[in-house]
Amino acid sequence: MIGILKKIFGIGPAVNYAALVKQGAIILDVRSKGEYAGGHIKNSLNISVDQLGKNLDRLKDKNKTIITCCASGMRSASAKSILKSKGFTSV
């Protein structure tokens, strides 16, 4: 039961995102172009979640670590599911 609750609320071990980026991870911002233009993480790649399926070729290596981000976590979770279903291994 505790494991299910942790999964639902996203509670788990801390992730060192800075270290992942230093190791070559891609930060994928899945917000709209307008939202991205209003401010974003330096060196992030912007592909809106509704365009992700059509732009998978921009993410060349399916084994490279990809960190998805958005405003609230909903779109990034959707993007993670899309990427996992397309064979990306480390999202």
Side-chain angles (χ1 to χ4, degrees), residues 42-61:
K42 184 179 177 184
N43 298 321
S44 62
L45 174 64
N46 178 232
I47 305 172
S48 63
V49 72
D50 61 324
Q51 295 297 310
L52 186 57
K54 300 174 191 172
N55 288 283
L56 293 174
D57 58 322
R58 293 178 62 192
L59 304 167
K60 297 170 179 41
D61 185 354

Side-chain angles (χ1 to χ4, degrees), residues 17-18 21 25-31 35-46 67-71 76:
Y17 294 106
V21 171
I26 296 169
I27 299 175
L28 178 61
D29 190 320
V30 295
R31 298 176 299 151
E35 288 173 293
Y36 186 80
H40 58 272
I41 299 170
K42 184 179 177 184
N43 298 321
S44 62
L45 174 64
N46 178 232
I67 302 166
T68 60
C69 66
C70 67
S76 58

